[in-house]
Amino acid sequence: MQLEFRELLPRDAKWAAPLMMASGRMGCEFSYTTAYMWSQYYDVRLARVGEGLILCSNAGVVPSFLVPVGIPLEDGIELLKQHAQEHGIPLKLHGIDEQVKERLQSHYPHAVFTPHEEDFDYIYSTEILAELPGNTYHSKRNHIAAFSRKYEWAFEPITEANHEEVVELAREWCLEKGGCQDSGLSSEQCAIRRLLRYREELSVRGGLIRVDGKAVAFTLGSPINDSVFDVHVEKALSAYAGAYAVINREFARTLREFPYLNRENDLGIPGLRRAKESYHPAILLKKYTCELLCDG
């Protein structure tokens, strides 16, 4: 069977998202919305395989494939080995958690696995982020209290009515970071607009914080599965100290049907790592890439 890869479309979420959700994986790569959001930046493409799905990223030196979903793992790997052989490329897989790593090792003992700490996902208890209980979160509650003393603020869900405000806020945030000269930041602006444009098709939920009528912080996310919600984007203007703590807590309070919130990785950025660690994740989801010999 030949694999035929094509671009991702918003309407594909109708069939692809349930397949990815049913995999039971907790990593952000297994959100169709994540894949679509970044599909232009990472050149992500999909192939439908019977009742299954394979995603491929062409952003690197060689293509990298997400672990197949909706079909038996070994069958999917064999298809990818055949595809790699036909195209004369090494077989590289990404988004591999410990459980999948063990399965692959048992079938492909010569596979080489490489951990990527900057890609590890920080996964939190939704209830804890919503309530910030005990001494562990004393400083977070203090930040919110200080924000509340200084400002009259309100939280509201993101809807069609405030889309443009979110786009403008994202642009303002990007300008704070150096005028969006960084390709990743400018691509993120495009990704945010794509999320908003296809909010319903992609099951996107979000919220924003207003201070005196002005939007100063926002967040957007979507379900990975019935237990894990993925927070794709969270932004707050630097002039409003404490806004991140407020939007984090308020959005968590709207997501109590999901036991866990995946707040994605830290990209190896020290400040971002410290911020994510300060909320004490319930799970630090280790993820690996895998290089697999096509004749092994």
Side-chain angles (χ1 to χ4, degrees), residues 10-258:
R11 63 174 178 265
D12 289 317
K14 187 172 184 179
W15 64 269
L19 285 176
M20 298 179 76
M21 294 175 73
S23 73
R25 307 265 68 84
M26 301 179 79
C28 63
E29 295 87 353
F30 291 88
S31 156
Y32 182 79
T33 303
T34 299
Y36 177 77
M37 174 184 180
W38 291 104
S39 60
Q40 292 182 342
Y41 186 67
Y42 291 108
D43 192 11
V44 181
R45 303 180 74 79
L46 66 81
R48 192 164 189 175
V49 184
E51 297 301 316
L53 168 69
I54 298 176
L55 293 178
C56 173
S57 169
N58 295 293
V61 176
V62 298
S64 181
F65 301 90
L66 186 66
V67 177
V69 298
I71 54 177
L73 178 62
E74 293 75 20
D75 293 349
I77 297 302
E78 290 305 313
L79 282 173
L80 286 173
K81 287 174 67 176
Q82 178 183 332
H83 178 82
Q85 286 175 328
E86 290 173 352
H87 289 79
I89 58 173
L91 178 52
K92 181 179 179 180
L93 304 170
H94 65 271
I96 298 170
D97 60 23
E98 294 282 4
Q99 186 180 33
V100 174
K101 177 173 175 277
E102 290 178 7
R103 288 183 61 187
L104 288 173
Q105 283 177 320
S106 68
H107 287 85
Y108 307 100
H110 300 297
V112 177
F113 295 88
T114 304
H116 293 273
E117 190 174 355
E118 68 275 11
D119 288 328
F120 292 179
D121 283 352
Y122 292 77
I123 301 176
Y124 305 84
S125 160
T126 304
E127 189 63 25
I128 287 178
L129 290 192
E131 296 303 324
L132 302 174
N135 290 334
T136 301
Y137 297 95
H138 179 72
S139 64
K140 302 297 183 186
R141 297 196 304 274
N142 280 348
H143 291 323
I144 294 171
F147 187 86
S148 298
R149 287 193 298 270
K150 187 172 183 179
Y151 302 112
E152 289 289 334
W153 62 270
F155 173 87
E156 67 185 60
I158 291 176
T159 66
E160 189 72 29
N162 53 31
H163 275 195
E164 291 305 315
E165 290 178 277
V166 174
V167 171
E168 176 57 28
L169 174 54
R171 189 189 69 84
E172 190 174 348
W173 180 90
C174 198
L175 289 173
E176 283 187 354
K177 303 302 177 181
C180 290
Q181 298 303 309
D182 179 84
S183 62
L185 290 182
S186 61
S187 295
E188 186 181 47
Q189 298 300 296
C190 296
I192 290 168
R193 289 193 290 272
R194 299 179 93 201
L195 286 185
L196 292 169
R197 182 177 180 183
Y198 299 108
R199 183 174 52 87
E200 292 188 6
E201 292 94 328
L202 299 173
S203 301
V204 172
R205 293 165 62 172
L208 61 81
I209 298 294
R210 289 189 188 280
V211 170
D212 297 327
K214 175 180 172 59
V216 302
F218 79 94
T219 186
L220 293 166
S222 68
I224 294 176
N225 54 50
D226 291 340
S227 298
V228 186
F229 188 92
D230 188 13
V231 179
H232 305 303
V233 182
E234 185 181 86
K235 305 294 184 189
L237 298 179
S238 60
Y240 295 85
Y244 275 111
V246 174
I247 190 67
N248 190 321
R249 185 192 68 176
E250 295 304 302
F251 193 45
R253 288 179 169 182
T254 72
L255 299 169
R256 294 181 193 265
E257 71 267 34
F258 300 94

